[in-house]
Amino acid sequence: MAPQLFKFLKSAHLDNILIHGTIRISTLSYFRAWEGGRWIGDPNEATTTVAASGAVVASKPGETVSDPWTPPGFGQIVKASDGGKVIFSGGARIKFRGADRFIFCVSQGERDQLVQAMCRDAEEPYDAAVRILLPLELLAHRIFYRSTIVEFGGEPTRWFFASVSSGSVAYDADEHHHSAGLAPAPSAFRKDRHFAAQSEARIVLTPHRDLGREWLTVKLPHPEKLFVEEFRIIP
C-alpha cells in the first residue's frame, strides 16, 4: 500500500487549500535564501558540495588530466597539462548548483510519526495538516495539466513550465569528499540527513524560462476531490 501523503502548514493557511484550491510552489533558490532556521530553509537545496581539500590533479609530460570528481554536466573545474600539478588548499569546498526549479513539498508515511516530527519536534513546527487524496504522481499531473496560476491572471500552469516530475526525497550526506570519485549531480530530490524526519516527497516543475518570481500561487479545480482536512489544531 502506498504511503499516506500530508501537507503540513500553519492553520491560518488551511482554507486556502481546502476552500480555494490554492497551493504555493516556490523555487529552490527561495528555500536557499530562507532567513529562518535550517528546517524550512536549506542553503544547500539542490546543491552538491565537494570537499576538495588536499585534492591533487597531476599529469605526466605530454598529457592533460582533469579532476575526476566534478558532477555530471558541469565540465571540469581544473586541468593539469604537460606534467603540471594542481593542489587544492586546506578547507577547499566547491559548490555545484543545478538549474532553478519550482517545488511543492509534502510528507509521506505514517501519520502519528509525521505529526510528531512536523508539529512537535520540528525546529519550525506546524499546527495543521491536510491529507492528500491522490497518489503523488497523479497530483503532479493535475497541477501541470489542470491548474492555473493566480499571479499570471489565471492562465494555465502548463503554459509556463516545460515538464513536471515527482518522487521521494533521498537523504544523504551534505558533502561529497573528492577521494570518493565522481560526485552526484545536484538534484531537487536529494537533501542532507538533517532533514530526514520530514520524510519528504516533492513535485518539481521546470519552467521554460526565468519567470521573475520566487513563488507562485497555483489554483486547482475541485479541491474537495484532492484534499481533506486532517486537523486544524495539533491533536
Side-chain angles (χ1 to χ4, degrees):
M1 187 174 69
Q4 287 187 299
L5 297 175
F6 299 93
K7 178 63 177 177
F8 290 92
L9 67 166
K10 300 292 186 181
S11 56
H13 305 304
L14 197 61
D15 287 340
N16 291 339
I17 295 180
L18 296 174
I19 297 175
H20 304 295
T22 57
I23 60 173
R24 177 179 287 190
I25 58 174
S26 303
T27 60
L28 294 164
S29 56
Y30 170 82
F31 289 110
R32 291 186 195 119
W34 184 270
E35 295 183 355
R38 194 164 178 252
W39 180 252
I40 296 175
D42 177 10
N44 293 314
E45 276 283 2
T47 300
T48 294
T49 302
V50 174
S53 178
V56 178
V57 179
S59 67
K60 297 177 182 178
E63 72 174 5
T64 299
V65 175
S66 301
D67 71 81
W69 34 259
T70 300
F74 285 84
Q76 302 301 313
I77 297 301
V78 297
K79 292 183 179 180
S81 302
D82 296 324
K85 180 184 289 187
V86 178
I87 303 175
F88 286 80
S89 62
R93 297 170 75 250
I94 305 171
K95 291 182 179 290
F96 301 89
R97 286 180 172 166
D100 215 0
R101 304 283 190 269
F102 283 79
I103 62 174
F104 178 67
C105 306
V106 301
S107 292
Q108 61 179 354
E110 199 277 324
R111 177 189 183 279
D112 291 344
Q113 291 180 1
L114 292 175
V115 170
Q116 184 69 32
M118 302 298 287
C119 302
R120 296 193 177 99
D121 298 339
E123 298 168 31
E124 298 176 58
Y126 298 103
D127 65 349
V130 298
R131 182 158 41 91
I132 298 170
L133 302 176
L134 301 181
L136 184 70
E137 61 273 15
L138 185 51
L139 179 61
H141 184 275
R142 291 286 182 92
I143 289 173
F144 190 78
Y145 288 102
R146 298 186 60 184
S147 72
T148 57
I149 298 178
V150 173
E151 288 80 9
F152 295 153
E155 294 180 328
T157 298
R158 64 182 182 276
W159 288 7
F160 301 92
F161 293 91
S163 63
V164 63
S165 57
S166 62
S168 301
V169 171
Y171 297 97
D172 203 347
D174 189 46
E175 197 166 85
H176 177 89
H177 196 271
H178 70 85
S179 63
L182 184 69
S187 171
F189 296 103
R190 290 180 62 249
K191 287 179 72 71
D192 183 66
R193 297 189 188 105
H194 172 79
F195 301 94
Q198 296 178 357
S199 190
E200 192 176 337
R202 289 179 165 182
I203 293 170
V204 178
L205 295 115
T206 302
H208 285 294
R209 55 178 175 79
D210 181 3
L211 299 178
R213 297 188 63 94
E214 293 184 327
W215 55 267
L216 293 167
T217 306
V218 171
K219 184 174 178 61
L220 287 151
H222 305 295
E224 72 281 358
K225 297 181 180 180
L226 309 176
F227 311 106
V228 64
E229 180 178 326
E230 189 68 18
F231 58 84
R232 194 174 292 261
I233 300 175
I234 302 171

